[in-house]
Amino acid sequence: MKIIFLMLISIIYILKTKFALGLGVFLVYTLIFILALIKNNSFNSLIKISEEYGKKSKIVIFVFIFVGALTSSWLASGTIPGIIYYGIKFINPNFFILFSFLITSLVSFFLGSSFGTASTIGVALMGIARSGGVNLNIVGASIICGIYFGDRWSPLSSSANLVASLTGVDIYSNLKNMVKSMIVPYLLTSIFYCVLSKNYILNIGDNKISNLILENYNLNIYLIFIPLISIIIFSLLRINVKISMGVSITLASIIGVFVQGEKFFKVLNYIIFGFYKFEGSYFGEIIKGGGIKSMLNATVLIFLSCSLVGLLEKIEVLNYIKNKISKIKTRGELFKNTVFISLISGMIGANQTITVIMTEQIMEDIYDEKKIERVEFAKDIENSAIILPSIIPWNIACYLPCAMLGIGNIRFIPYAIYIWIFPICMYIYYSFIKKEKELI
């Protein structure tokens, strides 16, 4: 069977690469599988539901592959270095923390990858913060808030695509519906970081990163941003995400060859294995990453996660939780319970994918029973299950960005205001501003 073959491939990969988090999820899957057998479920029925739920990961896996290729091709073409260079060039030292939030928000929106943004512009900003004597936990928090802005609200985001796939809502309709809900949290976060910036001023002199970018790249502004512009245009035209990324990767590869002087097969190597041209140098610690290979861990994890949720559904764990929270009377209560389930799922699953899938599976029938539109359901998932895992210290959505940025995965949390103020604002809106009659 396909599912058994994929499971075998997954466990071989996990053991070979010493992927501890993947091993943990696989062991949990195995234990739940054994428990389901003890509860008189047939082996074939468990394989069938694992396969059924595993298929839900397909669209996100394709997005992972394209994001990996996109990141490395943008590094080869000079698109990401150009963003870093021109971003740094216009930094106002008095507003560095605010700038960190705004620039990572912008990059994560266009890149659609929280990890990709953290490992590129995020690392660069942390390098500037270290050299300028700014509190690293505050800067790290502003970067993490920025990267999850794009993770929640980018057509290229694998997380946003996962929510769209699970809820059956067109991704562009979902993104449009989320605009109003993000305005207040984003403004409050910007004000918060503006105040902190005044108290933590960057001490900036000659910037080493900018000089190194100029030495190693042809920053022709009319060419290096073409891959970025193509993504924007295709997004506005609502063209399929995979097509828009494919075109951008192609354009970036062409620019890499004809503008940056890369060999064609070298660019192809970057796309598959990642961009590590400057490895071993200070510059190589900042300008690196991407590649389809870099997404293998995430691919294995999301496949196992989806299959695990299928088993939890089979042994009726999700139904048990549904029954406990089904007596909801107001829209505010409904969202509050969605937040609660998101937190519990994020703590148990230790990754964003499980959080989203479990929350969707548990809350779907309740939203349908209360006659809440699917697009509203998708928005609530985005405003809870997508962003909250980033402040659960042992969740991969928190752990990996912190590791990339070189900060502790607890001390930044009080300053990550965008993450935890979002559900608070939404609860206040549903409970006190948008007052409606009781739900059915």
Side-chain angles (χ1 to χ4, degrees):
M1 292 183 187
K2 290 181 180 179
I3 189 71
I4 296 177
F5 176 73
L6 290 172
M7 285 291 179
L8 287 173
I9 293 296
S10 297
I11 191 61
I12 291 170
Y13 172 79
I14 287 168
L15 293 173
K16 186 176 179 181
T17 59
K18 298 180 181 179
F19 181 30
L21 186 59
L23 181 60
V25 175
F26 183 80
L27 290 175
V28 172
Y29 173 88
T30 304
L31 290 173
I32 299 297
F33 195 96
I34 293 170
L35 178 62
L37 288 174
I38 293 172
K39 287 180 170 288
N40 297 319
N41 291 287
S42 70
F43 182 86
N44 286 338
S45 69
L46 297 179
I47 291 296
K48 185 177 180 180
I49 199 165
S50 295
E51 187 171 7
E52 179 185 334
Y53 276 76
K55 286 179 180 178
K56 293 187 177 185
S57 67
K58 186 166 66 173
I59 185 172
V60 183
I61 288 172
F62 277 120
V63 173
F64 277 159
I65 291 170
F66 276 98
V67 166
L70 187 77
T71 302
S72 54
S73 65
W74 280 22
L75 285 165
S77 67
T79 304
I80 289 176
I83 293 171
I84 295 172
Y85 175 80
Y86 289 106
I88 291 172
K89 187 176 180 180
F90 295 106
I91 283 179
N92 183 330
N94 296 315
F95 295 99
F96 177 68
I97 296 171
L98 174 62
F99 175 86
S100 297
F101 172 60
L102 297 178
I103 191 63
T104 48
S105 297
L106 183 67
V107 173
S108 66
F109 174 76
F110 290 126
L111 198 58
S113 169
S114 54
F115 296 162
T117 306
S119 64
T120 53
I121 187 66
V123 171
L125 289 167
M126 288 301 290
I128 298 169
R130 286 189 178 90
S131 65
V134 182
N135 186 301
L136 298 183
N137 288 309
I138 296 176
V139 177
S142 70
I143 292 170
I144 288 174
C145 287
I147 67 176
Y148 283 105
F149 168 85
D151 204 49
R152 172 190 175 272
W153 198 62
S154 170
L156 303 181
S157 167
S158 57
S159 302
N161 277 276
L162 175 62
V163 173
S165 175
L166 292 173
T167 59
V169 176
D170 173 68
I171 187 168
Y172 291 105
S173 299
N174 187 30
L175 296 177
K176 182 180 178 181
N177 190 49
M178 286 192 289
V179 173
K180 290 182 180 179
S181 65
M182 77 180 187
I183 293 173
V184 172
Y186 199 85
L187 287 176
L188 289 175
T189 303
S190 298
I191 293 169
F192 178 71
Y193 288 139
C194 184
V195 173
L196 284 180
S197 295
K198 288 293 185 180
N199 293 315
Y200 296 91
I201 297 174
L202 180 72
N203 179 17
I204 191 167
D206 292 331
N207 193 275
K208 188 177 179 180
I209 297 170
S210 296
N211 294 332
L212 287 170
I213 290 173
L214 277 177
E215 289 172 10
N216 290 280
Y217 284 94
N218 175 2
L219 294 186
N220 185 318
I221 196 168
Y222 299 107
L223 296 175
I224 62 171
F225 292 128
I226 287 177
L228 173 61
I229 293 168
S230 72
I231 286 286
I232 297 171
I233 294 172
F234 277 49
S235 297
L236 292 173
L237 295 176
R238 297 192 174 191
I239 293 172
N240 182 280
V241 171
K242 286 178 284 187
I243 294 175
S244 65
M245 284 195 286
V247 170
S248 183
I249 291 165
T250 302
L251 291 171
S253 300
I254 293 170
I255 293 168
V257 172
F258 291 101
V259 178
Q260 305 302 344
E262 297 284 357
K263 300 293 184 183
F264 172 77
F265 287 106
K266 197 69 176 177
V267 172
L268 188 61
N269 183 74
Y270 295 151
I271 288 173
I272 297 171
F273 298 104
F275 187 86
Y276 294 98
K277 179 179 180 180
F278 308 109
E279 191 172 17
S281 66
Y282 168 76
F283 192 50
E285 290 300 310
I286 297 167
I287 306 298
K288 66 175 182 178
I292 294 171
K293 183 182 177 182
S294 69
M295 292 295 167
L296 288 178
N297 283 1
T299 298
V300 169
L301 198 59
I302 191 172
F303 169 71
L304 292 175
S305 299
C306 289
S307 300
L308 173 61
V309 174
L311 292 184
L312 292 173
E313 178 73 25
K314 189 68 175 178
I315 62 176
E316 300 186 339
V317 169
L318 304 186
N319 283 333
Y320 174 80
I321 299 174
K322 288 177 190 177
N323 293 333
K324 287 291 183 181
I325 62 172
S326 60
K327 296 178 182 179
I328 295 171
K329 295 183 178 181
T330 67
R331 189 70 175 86
E333 281 184 47
L334 183 61
F335 181 71
K336 182 178 71 175
N337 278 274
T338 304
V339 169
F340 173 74
I341 295 301
S342 298
L343 287 169
I344 296 300
S345 301
M347 291 176 183
I348 294 172
N351 78 82
Q352 190 187 52
T353 302
I354 288 183
T355 307
V356 172
I357 295 173
M358 284 188 67
T359 304
E360 191 275 336
Q361 290 295 316
I362 292 169
M363 299 303 298
E364 181 178 28
D365 290 342
I366 299 173
Y367 273 78
D368 288 343
E369 288 170 8
K370 304 303 179 184
K371 299 189 182 303
I372 303 297
E373 293 181 7
R374 299 294 288 182
V375 71
E376 286 293 305
F377 178 38
K379 182 179 74 174
D380 283 1
I381 295 290
E382 293 276 7
N383 293 340
S384 56
I386 290 294
I387 59 175
L388 290 174
S390 63
I391 54 172
I392 299 173
W394 57 90
N395 194 294
I396 194 172
C398 174
Y399 179 82
L400 277 186
C402 288
M404 291 173 185
L405 300 175
I407 60 172
N409 56 347
I410 294 177
R411 292 185 179 180
F412 84 94
I413 294 175
Y415 304 107
I417 185 172
Y418 182 74
I419 306 299
W420 52 261
I421 204 173
F422 223 119
I424 293 173
C425 287
M426 290 307 301
Y427 178 72
I428 291 172
Y429 173 72
Y430 286 136
S431 300
F432 304 105
I433 298 175
K434 189 183 178 182
K435 291 186 177 180
E436 298 178 346
K437 62 182 181 180
E438 288 191 353
L439 300 174
I440 297 172

